[in-house]
Amino acid sequence: MTQDMEISTFQASLKTLERGIAELSNSDTDPQNYFRTFTEKIVSVLGTGGAAWMITDSGDLLFTAHINLSAAGLEQGGSQEQVLRYALSRVLENQEPVVLPARQGSNIHDGGLGSAAANHSDHALLFIPIVDRRHLRGLFLLIAPPDIDTRAIRGFLDYISGLCGWAGYYLQGQRNKKLETQLSRTDRIRQYISALHCSLQPSRVCYALANYGQELLGVFRCMAGTYSSKGKFRLESVSGLESVAVKSNFIKSIAEIAAHVCRNDKVLLVDNPEAVKQAGQESDDLITAARLYMLQAGTVVMGIFPIRWEQYVVGL
């Protein structure tokens, strides 16, 4: 194959790669599969290995995909694991690419790391931020082939940065879908509030409260009941269970606990049900009773919240 033919073949593969990344970024695939495929596609054409990280909503760096990190000693416990950490921290700090040429070469894109992150491998390392609307959403690492011409790194970087732009586009689309889901849930919450206000029947109000509350909070089970001026609690509805279950002994035990909470007029939050197995727990203690119920119910966290009207507790 002549040199011109090789160049033409490579250019065609670049166009195919860009089309593939664009199609992937417009798909409905989940983020884990997206970044695995994203990394595989780029590495198959342009690299020896690579990896991708996502930035979570809490700001943590989530390792999402990786291929052949050992080629440059970047795997966990590898000879250049510290180099990886230095480069990632610099991209997180500056949101600018970091390029570490092979065999400790110098480059203007090293982010100022200098000898602190000297790359001793035969592969240039390109760390590229994934950004959407000027917000850092992830990072991509490409371990370049060992024979890449150092003079071509700038163009190489620009091309891969363009592909990472598609990843930013994908993540923005995911955020938009998440927002649409939240807005949809908000509409259902409005319906729930209307249901609470349009009925004078406590049982119907409690049914709406339990079932919409379960959806809103994303919990395993939600219950609602009424508390009378005479100090009597009645469990009216349990989400996810048949109405007959309200009369079961299993449900009656939590109803007794709920009645105590209403009388105390204080929120009860309980976790660590296994603690009830420890010696020295009082059997008539409210927390102990709640933990005994949680062991039966198979739950790990439980909250009981009184519902007040003016200065009176009217339900739970």
Side-chain angles (χ1 to χ4, degrees):
M1 182 180 292
T2 66
Q3 185 175 4
D4 289 343
M5 291 178 64
E6 289 178 354
I7 293 174
S8 297
T9 301
F10 182 64
Q11 290 175 337
S13 66
L14 292 182
K15 291 180 180 179
T16 301
L17 173 60
E18 191 165 4
R19 274 198 308 271
I21 295 297
E23 292 172 359
L24 177 66
S25 301
N26 282 293
S27 69
D28 292 327
T29 189
D30 62 272
Q32 287 282 345
N33 183 64
Y34 174 87
F35 280 104
R36 184 177 63 252
T37 306
F38 179 86
T39 303
E40 289 173 351
K41 284 180 176 292
I42 295 177
V43 170
S44 66
V45 177
L46 295 173
T48 300
W53 293 261
M54 287 177 57
I55 308 294
T56 66
D57 291 338
S58 59
D60 297 323
L61 198 60
L62 178 64
F63 198 17
T64 310
H66 62 91
I67 298 174
N68 197 25
L69 292 180
S70 60
L74 300 177
E75 75 279 11
Q76 186 174 3
S79 60
Q80 297 207 113
E81 183 182 13
Q82 194 64 32
V83 174
L84 175 68
R85 296 183 185 279
Y86 278 133
L88 291 177
S89 64
R90 187 54 56 93
V91 177
L92 287 172
E93 180 182 354
N94 297 335
Q95 298 189 26
E96 295 289 339
V98 167
V99 177
L100 304 178
R103 296 176 293 278
Q104 304 184 65
S106 61
N107 188 281
I108 61 172
H109 294 293
D110 69 358
L113 289 171
S115 59
N119 175 21
H120 295 277
S121 76
D122 294 330
H123 305 268
L125 307 177
L126 291 82
F127 298 85
I128 303 169
I130 296 173
V131 179
D132 82 77
R133 299 187 180 181
R134 300 183 181 180
H135 295 287
L136 184 66
R137 303 301 184 193
L139 296 95
F140 179 69
L141 159 67
L142 183 69
I143 302 174
D147 56 349
I148 185 173
D149 189 333
T150 305
R151 295 170 297 179
I153 284 183
R154 186 183 296 275
F156 207 62
L157 175 62
D158 289 343
Y159 179 79
I160 300 169
S161 296
L163 298 180
C164 287
W166 278 109
Y169 171 81
Y170 164 81
L171 289 175
Q172 180 60 40
Q174 292 295 303
R175 292 176 68 84
N176 289 342
K177 290 178 182 178
K178 185 177 180 180
L179 180 59
E180 289 173 0
T181 300
Q182 291 174 341
L183 291 174
S184 177
R185 289 185 63 189
T186 301
D187 288 337
R188 291 197 293 275
I189 293 168
R190 290 195 188 100
Q191 296 172 9
Y192 146 64
I193 294 174
S194 297
L196 292 182
H197 285 81
C198 72
S199 175
L200 296 178
Q201 298 179 19
S203 59
R204 294 186 64 183
V205 172
C206 288
Y207 178 84
L209 181 61
N211 286 278
Y212 280 94
Q214 182 184 25
E215 179 182 0
L216 171 63
L217 299 173
V219 295
F220 173 66
R221 182 176 296 148
C222 196
M223 308 178 188
T226 56
Y227 187 68
S228 71
S229 58
K230 297 180 180 180
K232 299 293 184 181
F233 177 80
R234 177 183 173 84
L235 188 60
E236 301 282 356
S237 182
V238 181
S239 67
L241 297 176
E242 298 293 337
S243 58
V244 69
V246 175
K247 299 180 180 180
S248 69
N249 291 330
F250 178 68
I251 297 301
K252 285 181 180 179
S253 63
I254 189 61
E256 293 174 1
I257 296 170
H260 279 288
V261 173
C262 287
R263 286 193 287 272
N264 294 340
D265 191 14
K266 293 181 180 179
V267 172
L268 178 66
L269 297 174
V270 188
D271 61 0
N272 191 22
E274 295 294 327
V276 78
K277 298 178 181 179
Q278 299 174 5
Q281 294 281 351
E282 296 294 334
S283 60
D284 59 348
D285 178 74
L286 185 59
I287 297 292
T288 301
R291 283 174 171 159
L292 286 170
Y293 167 79
M294 292 167 68
L295 288 176
Q296 288 181 299
T299 60
V300 294
V301 178
M302 180 172 69
I304 304 179
F305 305 88
I307 299 172
R308 299 181 185 87
W309 171 252
E310 296 182 346
Q311 71 269 33
Y312 303 105
V313 176
V314 295
L316 179 142

